[in-house]
């Protein structure tokens, strides 16, 4: 077990200013980034750091660090292969980092699968140990509640009508995750390549992909990959990870395609991890962690769909007009 000492700004939280997930962040006139997970601005991350530092100082003064039974913000440290603690032991809303469950462990296939099957996911940055999270409440997008706003509907309609535009699944998984890792975020200093998708994280998700447990949804225009997302998928439980776009709306098109795919295969929701205004704008909502856990437990035991995109799936969002009467 470790206490709040690990959360000194010079160590554990030193890179969190760039660990942004699940937010829509314009990076240029024709470039956007949309990542699943924590939608935190650099200012919000600094606030978390300040709270963690304050908690660290308070615990140090009271000598709680050396007595974990008395430490309010004690954090389990895992060794490789060790089981996760119960998710209801994760730090709560009154803590420096809501949803933080444990540190350490490994990113091997069995650990990652076990994490997702228990509503847990990894998120950390350079200089930090592996951090495992299970926030309460949990943000999720019920695909039947996806809000297809008028402007996006026009974009998708135009996309589907162009023969050089297509959605592909799993054709360039490594390229998608690399693009997500290298995409600059709003508020990120020039030349700062900080990202939560570290090389070991990318390798871990590529192993998940090779095992059929992670997939990429790719937006291709004129033979070029211009946007997309990747997700973890176990059975019929889909967990969004990160998105990128180098052309306007390309990531939104990929998300809409995933929604269509899920609707066509009776997959009821996509995990979005934590609340952001952009996801709420698209129809995502918070749900209690216990309810989310129950859904995960049921969905992961259902047979997985064949991960292939058919253009007919677009009819889930763009129904064909009725045929004229004869």
């Amino acid at each position: 077990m470790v206490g709040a000492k690990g959360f000194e700004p010079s160590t554990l939280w030193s890179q969190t200013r760039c660990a942004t997930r699940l937010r829509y962040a314009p990076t240029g006139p024709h470039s956007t980034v949309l990542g699943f997970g924590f939608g935190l601005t650099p200012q919000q991350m600094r606030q978390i750091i300040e709270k963690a530092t304050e908690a660290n100082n308070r615990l140090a003064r009271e000598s709680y660090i050396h007595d974990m039974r008395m430490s309010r913000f004690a954090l389990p440290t895992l060794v490789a292969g060790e089981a996760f603690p119960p998710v209801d032991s994760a730090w709560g809303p009154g803590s420096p980092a809501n949803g933080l469950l444990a540190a350490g462990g490994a990113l091997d296939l069995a650990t990652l699968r076990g994490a997702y099957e228990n509503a847990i996911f990894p998120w950390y940055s350079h200089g930090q140990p592996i951090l495992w999270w299970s926030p309460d409440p949990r943000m999720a997008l019920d695909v039947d509640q996806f809000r297809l706003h008028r402007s996006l509907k026009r974009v998708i309609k135009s996309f589907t009508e162009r023969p050089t535009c297509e959605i592909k699944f799993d054709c360039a998984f490594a390229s998608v995750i690399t693009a997500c890792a290298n995409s600059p975020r709003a508020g990120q200093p020039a030349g700062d390549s900080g990202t939560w998708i570290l090389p070991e994280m990318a390798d871990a998700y590529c192993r998940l992909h090779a095992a059929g447990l992670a997939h990429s949804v790719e937006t291709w225009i004129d033979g070029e990959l211009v946007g997309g997302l990747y997700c973890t998928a176990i059975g019929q439980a889909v967990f969004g990870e990160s998105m990128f776009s180098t052309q306007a709306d390309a990531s939104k098109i990929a998300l809409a395609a995933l929604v269509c795919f899920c609707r066509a295969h009776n997959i009821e929701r996509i995990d979005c991890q934590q609340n952001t205004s952009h996801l709420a704008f698209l129809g995502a909502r918070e749900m209690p962690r216990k309810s989310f856990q129950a859904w995960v437990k049921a969905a992961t035991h259902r047979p997985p769909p064949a991960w292939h995109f058919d253009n007919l799936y677009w009819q889930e969002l763009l129904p064909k007009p009725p045929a004229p009467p004869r």
Side-chain angles (χ1 to χ4, degrees), residues 92-209:
S95 70
N98 181 28
L100 183 57
L101 177 68
L107 294 173
D108 59 275
L109 186 64
T111 299
L112 281 172
R113 177 165 188 158
Y116 281 97
E117 288 178 338
N118 287 280
I120 302 165
F121 60 88
W123 177 57
Y124 67 105
S125 292
H126 178 71
Q128 302 175 350
I130 302 171
L131 299 177
W132 301 94
W133 303 77
S134 185
D136 187 14
R138 188 76 166 236
M139 193 73 165
L141 173 62
D142 286 5
V143 295
D144 62 353
Q145 298 297 313
F146 178 72
R147 294 175 185 162
L148 183 61
H149 296 279
R150 188 176 304 173
S151 58
L152 181 57
K153 185 175 182 178
R154 288 196 298 266
V155 167
I156 294 174
K157 190 173 185 298
S158 174
F159 179 87
T160 60
E161 291 172 350
R162 290 176 56 187
T164 58
C165 296
E166 56 183 327
I167 292 292
K168 298 180 181 180
F169 281 7
D170 295 332
C171 289
F173 184 90
S175 296
V176 170
I177 197 170
T178 298
C180 291
N182 294 334
S183 296
R185 265 61 177 170
Q188 183 171 323
D192 189 341
S193 60
T195 173
W196 68 269
I197 309 176
L198 301 175
E200 59 266 31
M201 282 280 277
D203 290 344
Y205 282 90
C206 283
R207 291 192 295 270
L208 276 181
H209 172 64

Side-chain angles (χ1 to χ4, degrees), residues 103-320:
L107 294 173
D108 59 275
L109 186 64
T111 299
L112 281 172
R113 177 165 188 158
Y116 281 97
E117 288 178 338
N118 287 280
I120 302 165
F121 60 88
W123 177 57
Y124 67 105
S125 292
H126 178 71
Q128 302 175 350
I130 302 171
L131 299 177
W132 301 94
W133 303 77
S134 185
D136 187 14
R138 188 76 166 236
M139 193 73 165
L141 173 62
D142 286 5
V143 295
D144 62 353
Q145 298 297 313
F146 178 72
R147 294 175 185 162
L148 183 61
H149 296 279
R150 188 176 304 173
S151 58
L152 181 57
K153 185 175 182 178
R154 288 196 298 266
V155 167
I156 294 174
K157 190 173 185 298
S158 174
F159 179 87
T160 60
E161 291 172 350
R162 290 176 56 187
T164 58
C165 296
E166 56 183 327
I167 292 292
K168 298 180 181 180
F169 281 7
D170 295 332
C171 289
F173 184 90
S175 296
V176 170
I177 197 170
T178 298
C180 291
N182 294 334
S183 296
R185 265 61 177 170
Q188 183 171 323
D192 189 341
S193 60
T195 173
W196 68 269
I197 309 176
L198 301 175
E200 59 266 31
M201 282 280 277
D203 290 344
Y205 282 90
C206 283
R207 291 192 295 270
L208 276 181
H209 172 64
L213 301 177
H215 302 278
S216 56
V217 179
E218 306 154 11
T219 304
W220 292 78
I221 298 179
D222 297 328
E224 180 183 357
L225 176 65
V226 296
L229 64 87
Y230 72 98
C231 59
T232 301
I234 303 174
Q236 293 187 17
V238 177
F239 308 86
E241 297 295 342
S242 189
M243 302 177 75
F244 84 98
S245 179
T246 60
Q247 288 193 21
D249 299 315
S251 58
K252 296 179 185 177
I253 292 171
L255 177 58
L258 180 59
V259 167
C260 288
F261 174 81
C262 289
R263 285 186 178 185
H265 291 278
N266 297 314
I267 297 172
E268 60 184 305
R269 66 173 53 98
I270 301 167
D271 174 36
C272 303
Q273 298 174 350
Q274 185 139 321
N275 193 348
T276 66
S277 59
H278 181 68
L279 282 182
F281 180 73
L282 293 175
R285 62 179 179 85
E286 290 183 330
M287 61 187 300
R289 182 171 55 207
K290 284 189 176 181
S291 299
F292 180 80
Q293 280 183 281
W295 169 74
V296 168
K297 183 177 181 180
T300 53
H301 285 86
R302 298 181 189 128
W307 280 79
H308 167 77
F309 191 80
D310 190 308
N311 284 332
L312 290 175
Y313 296 159
W314 284 120
Q315 294 181 21
E316 298 290 336
L317 287 178
L318 303 172
K320 278 189 173 182

